[in-house]
Amino acid sequence: MEIVLLTALGVGGATVIGACIGFLFKNISHKFSDIVLSFAAGVMLAAAILGLILPAVEYGGKWGIPIAVIGIFLGALSLNLVDKLVPHLHKLMGADTEPHKNADLNKVLLFVLAIGIHNLPEGLAAGVGFGSGNTAQALTIAGGIALQNIPEGMVIIGPMLAAGVSPKRTFLIAAATGLVEVAGTFIGYFAVSISSVILPFALAFAGGTMLYVISDEMIPE
């Protein structure tokens, strides 16, 4: 349980670390952020397949492949439905959200909301990973997610400051998006701890959400 707690804090804290970097270097180039993001996408892709999807097939027994397919599909579909309500991150992270004096506060806050909403299933994936009992794989999954959170935390800061949000409130909002991920980690961990029957489906579902984030948000960005 202690390692789950530390991992949850680490995953959520990565956003705070990124926010601190954003305060120190307000004019971080979009190219540098994309390099970090693409590296994180590679780590998350490996973690999703090796740490979530393949174990889902293994723990599912003779029904492993159907359960994995259904879980992946529903995981991706759930985030697709979220995207119908909240604009895609890679669109919000484009040129329109670069710091400038006439930044639209509503759009900036929508951008932050989108990050917060997408952080929940990522936290779930980290928590579910520990339910498999393979701590090494779970830490790999959490590490990939944490790497992705750093550039997300970085890009939150500039637009909010440019939109007139105070530095203190900007930091608190950025930290709040990380807390969403902490909550998701515990929800995922306790869900599979209560019932091992749902473990194969939960692993596949988490893998589907990660694949969706990688293919629909991170790689396009």
Side-chain angles (χ1 to χ4, degrees), residues 91-127:
K91 293 181 180 178
L92 291 172
M93 290 171 68
D96 289 342
T97 56
E98 294 292 336
H100 55 78
K101 293 182 179 179
N102 296 320
D104 184 352
L105 179 59
N106 289 332
K107 185 171 184 178
V108 171
L109 293 179
L110 183 62
F111 164 51
V112 176
L113 176 64
I115 289 180
I117 290 175
H118 284 75
N119 279 354
L120 182 61
E122 290 172 9
L124 288 172

Side-chain angles (χ1 to χ4, degrees), residues 46-169:
I49 295 173
L50 299 177
L52 293 171
I53 295 174
L54 292 182
V57 174
E58 179 182 351
Y59 291 124
K62 65 178 181 179
W63 298 104
I65 292 179
I67 290 173
V69 170
I70 294 171
I72 292 169
F73 176 77
L74 292 179
L77 180 62
S78 67
L79 278 196
N80 181 258
L81 293 176
V82 169
D83 274 339
K84 301 297 183 183
L85 302 175
V86 181
H88 291 200
L89 289 182
H90 62 83
K91 293 181 180 178
L92 291 172
M93 290 171 68
D96 289 342
T97 56
E98 294 292 336
H100 55 78
K101 293 182 179 179
N102 296 320
D104 184 352
L105 179 59
N106 289 332
K107 185 171 184 178
V108 171
L109 293 179
L110 183 62
F111 164 51
V112 176
L113 176 64
I115 289 180
I117 290 175
H118 284 75
N119 279 354
L120 182 61
E122 290 172 9
L124 288 172
V128 167
F130 282 99
S132 67
N134 191 323
T135 303
Q137 286 183 346
L139 290 175
T140 301
I141 295 167
I145 294 171
L147 281 173
Q148 183 218 357
N149 288 346
I150 293 176
E152 278 188 359
M154 288 160 51
V155 300
I156 287 175
I157 301 303
M160 282 199 288
L161 292 176
V165 181
S166 68
K168 180 180 179 180
R169 182 168 293 183

Side-chain angles (χ1 to χ4, degrees), residues 167-178:
K168 180 180 179 180
R169 182 168 293 183
T170 295
F171 181 79
L172 291 176
I173 292 174
T177 64

Side-chain angles (χ1 to χ4, degrees), residues 192-215:
V192 296
S193 297
I194 293 172
S195 174
S196 59
V197 175
I198 68 170
L199 178 59
F201 175 79
L203 287 169
F205 185 90
T209 62
M210 286 185 68
L211 289 179
Y212 184 88
V213 170
I214 294 166
S215 63

Side-chain angles (χ1 to χ4, degrees), residues 12-26:
T15 301
V16 177
I17 292 173
C20 292
I21 296 174
F23 273 111
L24 293 174
F25 307 98
K26 296 183 179 65

